[in-house]
Amino acid sequence: MAPPEARHRPIGAAVLAAIALLGLINLPQPFAWDQAMFTLGARMMQHGAVLYRDYWDPKQPGLFWFFQLGGALFGFSEVGIHALEVLVMVAFAGFLMFGLRDAFATRRGPAFAALLVVGMYFAACGDWHLTQIEGLVGLPLFAVAWSTRAAALAPHRAGRLALIAGLATGITVLLKLLFLPIAIAIAITGLAARRPAGGAADGARGFPYWRALSMALVGFAIPMLGAIAYFSAHHALALAWWTSVTYPASVLAQAHGIRIKILERSLTWFCTQFFPLIVLAVPGAWLWWRARREALALQMVAWLAMSAVVIVIQRWSYWPYQFLLFLVPLGILAAAALESLAAAFATLAPGARRIERRAVGALTLGLLFAAPLATLAGKSVRLARTGFALTPARIRAYQVRASLGNGYGQILDDVAFLREASSLTGPIWVLGNPLYYWLSGREQAIPRNGASFIESFSLEEWQRVTRDLDRARPGYIFIGRDYGDIVRAEGERSAPFFELLSRSYRPLPGRRSGAWYQRVDSATP
């Protein structure tokens, strides 16, 4: 008989193959607002632009570097960026199965966890949710959980594992500074719940807290010093600090109340798509802790609790994809429940044949996971109807079908005139959705985009934007329908911009989703 490890290898290989297939289904997914903005900035960085100086957005640099890597490897396109995402998430699935192999009673548990985390991610997420920070940060945060738990179980390896935890925490911060408390909560909980792995002798040795802390700080410093070196070399360190720390604090100070309607819609989407994980996670956490005193149970609960705090703090957003912070801990805890349920299910109906039990189990899981399976089926059907998006034309046809609110179709119609021979050439500037840049093929005229927190612009920022626009002389300026009201409501702060618009531009008629303005003199650079 083959050894247990050999018998379970096909399970892991089959799970990775299934997840890779789910990822491939998502390769041609269209971009939404954020993905277009990140790709535009990353493409400029690939050609020598400096983040925050030549392309400004308040996000931390980690995601821009991720998009830059995806573009450099596979091309600056929807397929290229998603290709890197698929590779990273399949690697994450493999890491989950490796890192959880001693936390579950059977090898089915880690396989369940990989499917419920990465498989659900690819099944349930659409253009708005893919390649967002909250989905990608699951990998480094899980690395923090795994390494601190492993260090607590094996104090003699604490230094090396703490180095990994610090490195993963640094990567997390470069993705989003606000996620630092989540990493700290996971690490502290894992160490606080530690138990000796080898009996009293190991326990008497104690845990090298100071050595672990020093190694964690070394690991944390590696990515942070790399980022500091990048911005220092380009004389943009002060600007990076202002963008990452000072500016978000000022935006938070201006945010009043809670965006209840957006919060309700976001929670509805998340609870609908990930309902089975939410239901299974509660018994999973209880079973794991009560039966095995598994530290991961407490780490996952701490992850969930601190993520909730981080989401609530961001009063200016509450977008659906932000709730993906819950996905990894919910998926792992749900896998713990499924493992126990599978063992209990095998003892039911002793006279039933194995095929009968499997059929009943498959039907039960199909009903439980109906919502994400329906979303996955919708993607698959659209993909099949467009010839599996195997040519550029079919990719575009799929993206028009799949884009949120027919965004691609509408914007492609709006920017069609920019491809006419009579249109002015050169960059444009958009107060609104960055997809107007992406789908028009035009570059952004000035470093400051007209999408991020435009309602929080100060008079100084509007004056700077106006000076930059007057200097760059873009042939066209677009103001989205919703953004026109927002900008005009700023009164005196946005007055310099409207003075430039009235002096140097004329409106173009017949645009349904906003207003296009063409420069009066055609002498654009």
Side-chain angles (χ1 to χ4, degrees):
M1 178 180 290
E5 291 294 331
R7 292 201 305 271
H8 288 298
R9 281 178 196 145
I11 298 176
V15 167
L16 288 180
I19 289 172
L21 178 60
L22 292 174
L24 291 176
I25 291 173
N26 285 275
L27 274 184
Q29 280 292 315
F31 283 161
W33 180 300
D34 290 323
Q35 293 88 343
M37 188 162 53
F38 298 142
T39 308
L40 289 165
R43 188 170 62 189
M44 290 178 63
M45 292 164 62
Q46 184 69 11
H47 291 100
V50 176
L51 184 62
Y52 304 139
R53 188 191 71 189
D54 303 316
Y55 184 86
W56 189 90
D57 185 83
K59 302 291 194 304
Q60 267 73 72
L63 200 58
F64 285 98
W65 287 330
F66 177 89
F67 275 67
Q68 186 179 3
L69 177 62
L73 292 176
F74 305 111
F76 287 94
S77 66
E78 293 91 343
V79 173
I81 300 302
H82 288 140
L84 178 60
E85 178 183 35
V86 170
L87 288 178
V88 169
M89 296 304 282
V90 170
F92 183 24
F95 182 30
L96 282 167
M97 288 191 285
F98 167 79
L100 295 171
R101 67 194 189 284
D102 62 341
F104 286 87
T106 69
R107 284 292 182 264
R108 288 179 305 206
F112 286 151
L115 281 172
L116 294 180
V117 174
V118 184
M120 284 283 284
Y121 174 79
F122 281 132
C125 290
D127 56 349
W128 201 4
H129 320 103
L130 293 169
T131 55
Q132 292 281 8
I133 303 169
E134 286 77 6
L136 297 174
V137 80
L139 174 54
L141 285 177
F142 176 73
V144 174
W146 168 78
S147 55
T148 51
R149 171 186 177 273
L153 295 176
H156 62 284
R157 297 167 51 209
R160 296 192 299 272
L161 291 165
L163 182 70
I164 295 173
L167 182 64
T169 301
I171 294 171
T172 297
V173 169
L174 288 183
L175 287 171
K176 193 164 186 175
L177 178 60
L178 203 56
F179 295 162
L180 177 60
I182 303 176
I184 293 174
I186 293 170
I188 291 176
T189 306
L191 293 176
R194 70 186 181 89
R195 52 184 171 81
D202 283 344
R205 240 181 271 147
F207 187 83
Y209 285 106
W210 288 111
R211 181 167 179 266
L213 178 60
S214 62
M215 292 300 292
L217 291 175
V218 170
F220 180 78
I222 293 173
M224 302 306 295
L225 289 176
I228 291 171
Y230 166 81
F231 289 113
S232 295
H234 294 96
H235 308 288
L237 186 59
L239 182 57
W241 174 266
W242 179 83
T243 302
S244 300
V245 179
T246 308
Y247 184 79
S250 67
V251 171
L252 181 60
Q254 295 179 51
H256 300 291
I258 297 177
R259 294 159 37 125
I260 294 295
K261 290 185 178 180
I262 293 176
L263 179 60
E264 287 177 353
R265 287 198 297 267
S266 299
L267 281 172
T268 298
W269 171 79
F270 185 81
C271 292
T272 300
Q273 294 294 326
F274 299 97
F275 171 77
L277 303 189
I278 298 169
V279 170
L280 292 170
V282 175
W286 180 75
L287 288 168
W288 227 1
W289 179 248
R290 295 299 296 172
R292 303 187 62 191
R293 286 296 188 268
E294 176 51 62
L296 268 171
L298 296 185
Q299 286 182 298
M300 297 302 103
V301 171
W303 186 335
L304 289 168
M306 190 55 69
S307 295
V309 172
V310 167
I311 291 172
V312 169
I313 287 173
Q314 299 175 81
R315 299 195 303 269
W316 59 84
S317 47
Y318 295 154
W319 303 118
Y321 57 80
Q322 292 178 306
F323 291 84
L324 291 174
L325 280 174
F326 296 143
L327 175 57
V328 176
L330 286 177
I332 292 174
L333 293 176
L338 274 185
E339 183 186 50
S340 299
L341 290 173
F345 190 76
T347 64
L348 297 176
R353 291 178 296 175
R354 180 181 296 179
I355 191 171
E356 293 175 345
R357 290 196 186 98
R358 288 181 175 178
V360 172
L363 179 61
T364 303
L365 291 176
L367 293 173
L368 184 61
F369 288 85
L373 289 175
T375 301
L376 177 62
K379 294 181 189 178
S380 303
V381 169
R382 284 192 294 269
L383 200 60
R385 286 179 175 175
T386 52
F388 296 98
L390 295 179
T391 66
R394 289 177 175 178
I395 289 174
R396 181 63 84 212
Y398 173 82
Q399 290 167 346
V400 170
R401 286 174 178 263
S403 62
L404 182 68
N406 189 34
Y408 265 45
Q410 178 179 300
I411 294 173
L412 284 169
D413 287 343
D414 283 351
V415 301
F417 78 98
L418 293 175
R419 292 191 171 90
E420 297 173 358
S422 59
S423 68
L424 303 179
T425 60
I428 62 175
W429 197 64
V430 175
L431 267 172
N433 196 332
L435 280 171
Y436 278 84
Y437 297 115
W438 182 250
L439 295 176
S440 68
R442 299 293 187 99
E443 297 294 333
Q444 183 174 296
I446 63 175
R448 182 65 160 93
N449 67 61
S452 300
F453 301 110
I454 198 78
E455 65 276 11
S456 302
F457 268 24
S458 64
L459 174 60
E460 180 184 2
E461 285 177 287
W462 273 117
Q463 290 172 337
R464 185 184 306 117
V465 164
T466 303
R467 286 196 303 269
D468 289 346
L469 286 172
D470 202 18
R471 189 180 303 115
R473 300 166 64 86
Y476 299 96
I477 290 177
F478 175 75
I479 302 179
R481 185 171 52 205
D482 296 336
Y483 271 67
D485 296 335
I486 293 173
V487 174
R488 287 183 177 86
E490 296 190 22
E492 293 182 359
R493 288 185 296 171
S494 60
F497 169 74
F498 283 109
E499 193 276 329
L500 170 67
L501 204 62
S502 63
R503 169 169 43 88
S504 302
Y505 290 82
R506 64 179 177 85
L508 298 179
R511 306 299 169 187
R512 58 182 177 178
S513 45
W516 281 99
Y517 294 84
Q518 180 178 321
R519 191 160 185 93
V520 173
D521 59 45
S522 59
T524 52

